[in-house]
Amino acid sequence: MQALELLSPARNLDIGIAAIDCGADAVYIAAGEFGARKDAGNPVEDIRTLCEYAHRFGARVFVTVNTIVYDDELEKVRGLVREIEKAGADALIVQDPAVMAMASIPVHASTQCSIREPERARFFESIGCARLVLERQLSLSEIRAVRAATSVELEAFVHGALCVSYSGQCYLSQCITGRSANRGECAQACRSLYDLVDDKGHVLMKNKPLLSLKDLQLLDRLEDLAEAGIMSFKIEGRLKNRSYVANTVRAYSKALDELVARYPERYCRASFGHVTGGFVPDTAKTFNRGFTSLYLDGRRGEWMTAEAARGMGQPIGTISSMRPAGNGSVLIRITPSGPGISLRSGDGFSFVTGNGQVQGFRGDVCEGLTIRAKRIDGLGPGIRLYRNQDSAFEREIEAHTPLRTLSVTMDVSTKVDSVTIEAVREDGEKIVRRFAAEGEAARDEARMTEILRSQLSKKAGILSFDVRNLLADGIPHLAAAQINAMRRALAEQFEAIPLRSRPLGKGKVGNPDITAPVTYKDNIANRVSEELLRRAGAPSVDSAYEITGQKGAELMRTRYCIRHQLGMCLRDNPDGRRLYLLNNGRRLPLHFDCPHCEMTVTEA
């Protein structure tokens, strides 16, 4: 049976616990350094606490150490890896082969490894990776090809922000700002505004987020991914807040539960516990730039964010009038974009200014289709408004936290002088316990039987008890306090026994074989990784991992194509024009690799 894992981001301990409570089977979190999100680091002690909490449900914690590493940092990283392992982490997510070699716990090849074809997948399997995190821009058929070529676990992103470039091979941030994405310092140049011009100086588009993609959402494609060989479904967002993570995890956890229910002989969840109650999730109500399934079906669509690279939110309508309301406030009336628009005080709104910038503001008082807010430059009649924060939904998430419990089924047998309980936790752990009864026989056996059943079938801590069978060969008279004490005693005994976690994939070191030269795209920056690749047969190793100042150097390669997005595909209309992106005086040539249907951005 294949265990399916929902993998959630955790910016910090609190968010990690919320993800577990909402149904995540695993979370990934960064330690203090060497993570691909520099601003998402955490103390090792917090990672230890998160591991302890997650392991109560058989859930796992993966820690990112997925930047490239310099020679003078190797020993520091080695020390960090040892601390993470001692904290109880279940695996490391790693980009640099040198760090992979340091670990004594399972290693997952990060999406920064840019695994998008079977040959590269086999290499990372051969150097001991237990799991491969696949490139986001793969189709189902390409995922199947990687699955057929490897035997380790496969992980795929299913929700969240998309890098326009193939992962790990974007050097645009380094080129423009000197901040390396492979060192956790991405400046998100893909979210900037650009002009699109041709070689004759014509401006085809002005001040648009031409490299900014919509967010990924594959909520209704989990079955397709599982059939293709994916076992871990990853949500992006180590910089996202608690409500975003809770909402998204709850939505995908419910979808995975439905998939397991359809195929109970084929799939199960990778952790234990049942989530009940809480809010009703809705991924459209938390941060997003619009949604796309990207290249999953092997087809291109409209992937670019339309007006802005930021999350605009739900379209609510157009400002029909605006007038002063005193104390620096204005009263805004809108014409709704559709039926059912209901605004609430505290909602957040956004709009695009005339120069393409996104502005936001808070509605202090909202009634019907009227908003009272502080005056904002650029806001006026005719402006389209979006709601980027639904205050009522945010309050619902905060006020209605789901409850995650482990189920315990019980077979109970009674005699006049005792109660014997055989309790089985959902991971298969069994306890048989006999409780002496020093009272007298129950006068009303039927009523006493019902009281015993109802009092035992309650919660104790994270355990939810349920009496499956009750066999009475005489039944003692028991007070409710006595019965509750039995349940608590069983709970304490179970709490002292760790869960029997489902098996986690383990890597096997094989015989690495590389026939192609190692270039800057392999992001090698230390002597240990260089030597590893040489031993694997690489004919040459270029350790210059970042390309800057070299004319024609490829800064990114992507399946996203500006020409296709704008209806200018060269296959349909070979106009022969050269196209460029302009940003703050910098001119970046675009190239179109039509045989592979890919676009590149290069250094001028």
Side-chain angles (χ1 to χ4, degrees):
M1 181 177 290
Q2 177 64 63
L4 302 180
E5 174 188 279
L6 177 59
L7 177 56
S8 168
R11 188 177 69 190
N12 55 36
L13 171 61
D14 175 62
I15 294 174
I17 289 174
I20 298 296
D21 288 344
C22 289
D25 300 293
V27 296
Y28 62 105
I29 189 169
E33 295 182 88
F34 304 106
R37 295 290 184 272
K38 189 174 182 179
D39 295 329
N42 291 274
V44 172
E45 195 54 43
D46 281 3
I47 293 174
R48 186 190 311 279
T49 301
L50 180 58
C51 290
E52 291 170 353
Y53 189 84
H55 293 168
R56 299 174 76 197
F57 297 99
R60 295 191 167 90
V61 176
F62 308 144
V63 181
T64 59
V65 188
N66 59 340
T67 65
I68 58 171
V69 178
Y70 298 143
D71 279 324
D72 61 359
E73 296 172 326
L74 287 169
E75 287 310 308
K76 187 175 184 180
V77 174
R78 191 184 305 278
L80 177 63
V81 167
R82 293 292 169 264
E83 287 186 59
I84 292 168
E85 291 174 339
K86 290 177 182 178
D90 298 284
L92 297 176
I93 302 174
V94 179
Q95 176 185 11
D96 197 310
V99 184
M100 295 175 183
M102 296 174 184
S104 59
I105 59 176
V107 169
H108 299 173
S110 169
T111 187
Q112 296 297 108
C113 294
S114 198
I115 299 170
R116 58 183 191 270
E117 66 278 314
E119 294 75 20
R120 192 164 177 85
R122 280 195 295 265
F123 168 73
F124 282 101
E125 178 181 25
S126 73
I127 62 173
C129 293
R131 180 183 296 185
L132 310 178
V133 186
L134 300 184
E135 163 62 47
R136 291 169 172 90
Q137 299 183 35
L138 297 188
S139 66
L140 285 170
S141 63
E142 289 168 324
I143 293 172
R144 293 188 188 101
V146 173
R147 174 71 290 159
T150 58
S151 59
V152 293
E153 295 175 346
L154 298 184
E155 177 180 306
F157 281 90
V158 293
H159 194 94
L162 287 166
C163 296
V164 64
S165 172
Y166 288 136
S167 298
Q169 297 186 350
C170 181
Y171 309 101
L172 189 58
S173 175
Q174 171 72 18
C175 174
I176 293 176
T177 69
R179 293 167 53 184
S180 169
N182 286 301
R183 293 280 292 173
E185 298 178 327
C186 180
Q188 294 194 317
C190 59
R191 305 298 182 189
S192 297
L193 301 179
Y194 295 89
D195 295 343
L196 179 67
V197 301
D198 65 17
D199 48 8
K200 295 182 172 59
H202 300 129
V203 179
L204 308 180
M205 295 194 76
K206 189 169 183 62
N207 227 28
K208 295 293 183 182
L210 295 170
L211 294 176
S212 176
L213 301 190
K214 297 177 182 178
D215 289 356
L216 185 65
Q217 178 167 270
L218 300 178
L219 190 59
D220 59 348
R221 305 301 301 274
L222 303 185
E223 182 176 341
D224 294 333
L225 287 165
E227 288 180 347
I230 298 300
M231 61 76 56
S232 179
F233 305 88
K234 188 171 193 173
I235 297 168
E236 180 278 337
R238 276 193 295 126
L239 296 177
K240 295 295 196 300
N241 63 21
R242 185 181 183 278
S243 65
Y244 175 94
V245 170
N247 183 34
T248 309
V249 167
R250 194 73 197 99
Y252 277 84
S253 183
K254 290 167 75 73
L256 271 186
D257 283 344
E258 291 168 3
L259 175 57
V260 169
R262 287 198 300 273
Y263 303 101
E265 303 303 317
R266 189 187 308 177
Y267 302 124
C268 64
R269 292 295 295 268
S271 65
F272 298 102
H274 302 275
V275 180
T276 56
F279 61 92
V280 177
D282 185 347
T283 57
K285 289 186 176 181
T286 43
F287 180 93
N288 68 84
R289 301 176 179 89
F291 292 122
T292 176
S293 59
L294 205 60
Y295 196 65
L296 194 66
D297 294 308
R299 297 190 301 270
R300 284 164 180 75
E302 294 184 0
W303 298 348
M304 186 183 82
T305 57
E307 293 184 280
R310 289 173 54 183
M312 297 298 293
Q314 173 194 15
I316 62 166
T318 303
I319 296 178
S320 57
S321 67
M322 190 173 84
R323 62 178 177 80
N327 296 321
S329 295
V330 291
L331 195 65
I332 303 164
R333 298 187 185 277
I334 68 164
T335 300
S337 56
I341 299 295
S342 178
L343 306 181
R344 305 168 185 88
S345 297
D347 281 354
F349 302 95
S350 64
F351 65 99
V352 180
T353 66
N355 63 2
Q357 299 293 326
V358 177
Q359 290 277 10
F361 66 96
R362 180 179 181 273
D364 296 323
V365 179
C366 300
E367 296 179 3
L369 297 174
T370 301
I371 305 166
R372 184 185 177 116
K374 296 292 188 295
R375 182 182 297 279
I376 301 291
D377 289 341
L379 196 63
I383 292 288
R384 284 186 291 179
L385 280 188
Y386 301 80
R387 177 165 56 190
N388 58 12
Q389 179 167 319
D390 187 322
S391 59
F393 185 67
E394 293 290 324
R395 286 194 295 270
E396 183 182 353
I397 291 177
E398 289 299 319
H400 299 92
T401 301
L403 178 65
R404 184 167 181 169
T405 57
L406 297 170
S407 65
V408 178
T409 58
M410 294 184 290
D411 291 324
V412 181
S413 60
T414 67
K415 296 180 181 298
V416 173
D417 62 348
S418 65
V419 176
T420 301
I421 302 175
E422 181 178 292
V424 181
R425 198 170 56 190
E426 63 178 276
D427 64 328
E429 185 65 38
K430 181 166 69 173
I431 293 174
V432 179
R433 187 90 175 255
R434 180 181 179 276
F435 298 92
E438 299 176 356
E440 58 185 15
R443 296 179 182 178
D444 187 338
E445 289 193 357
R447 175 167 171 73
M448 192 70 250
T449 298
E450 183 56 36
I451 291 172
L452 182 61
R453 181 187 295 273
S454 65
Q455 290 298 118
L456 285 176
S457 298
K458 290 184 176 181
K459 294 182 176 64
I462 64 169
L463 300 176
S464 179
F465 290 87
D466 179 58
V467 175
R468 183 174 58 182
N469 297 301
L470 197 157
L471 179 63
D473 181 16
I475 187 165
H477 175 77
L478 297 167
Q482 292 175 282
I483 303 172
N484 291 339
M486 295 177 191
R487 189 183 66 252
R488 286 195 298 270
L490 289 169
E492 289 173 4
Q493 196 167 341
F494 274 125
E495 284 281 355
I497 305 172
L499 260 72
R500 302 176 183 180
S501 298
R502 303 196 194 279
L504 185 68
K506 297 181 179 180
K508 296 184 296 183
V509 177
N511 296 307
D513 182 25
I514 302 176
T515 57
V518 175
T519 71
Y520 70 93
K521 288 188 178 183
D522 291 285
N523 300 320
I524 302 302
N526 63 73
R527 63 184 184 277
V528 175
S529 293
E530 288 178 14
E531 181 58 28
L532 188 153
L533 295 174
R534 287 195 181 95
R535 289 200 307 268
S540 63
V541 178
D542 180 359
S543 61
Y545 75 95
E546 297 282 15
I547 295 297
T548 57
Q550 296 186 24
K551 184 175 181 179
E554 191 174 289
L555 301 176
M556 70 163 61
R557 178 174 287 267
T558 173
R559 274 188 159 144
Y560 166 69
C561 178
I562 286 177
R563 279 188 173 274
H564 184 275
Q565 174 76 31
L566 302 180
M568 300 165 56
C569 178
L570 289 172
R571 291 179 174 178
D572 301 326
N573 181 26
D575 58 25
R577 287 182 294 176
R578 297 291 302 274
L579 299 182
Y580 303 86
L581 294 177
L582 295 183
N583 175 271
N584 291 328
R586 184 181 289 272
R587 188 170 182 259
L588 300 170
L590 299 178
H591 299 274
F592 301 92
D593 184 354
C594 292
H596 296 99
C597 218
E598 295 174 324
M599 181 184 79
T600 65
V601 180
T602 62
E603 178 74 277

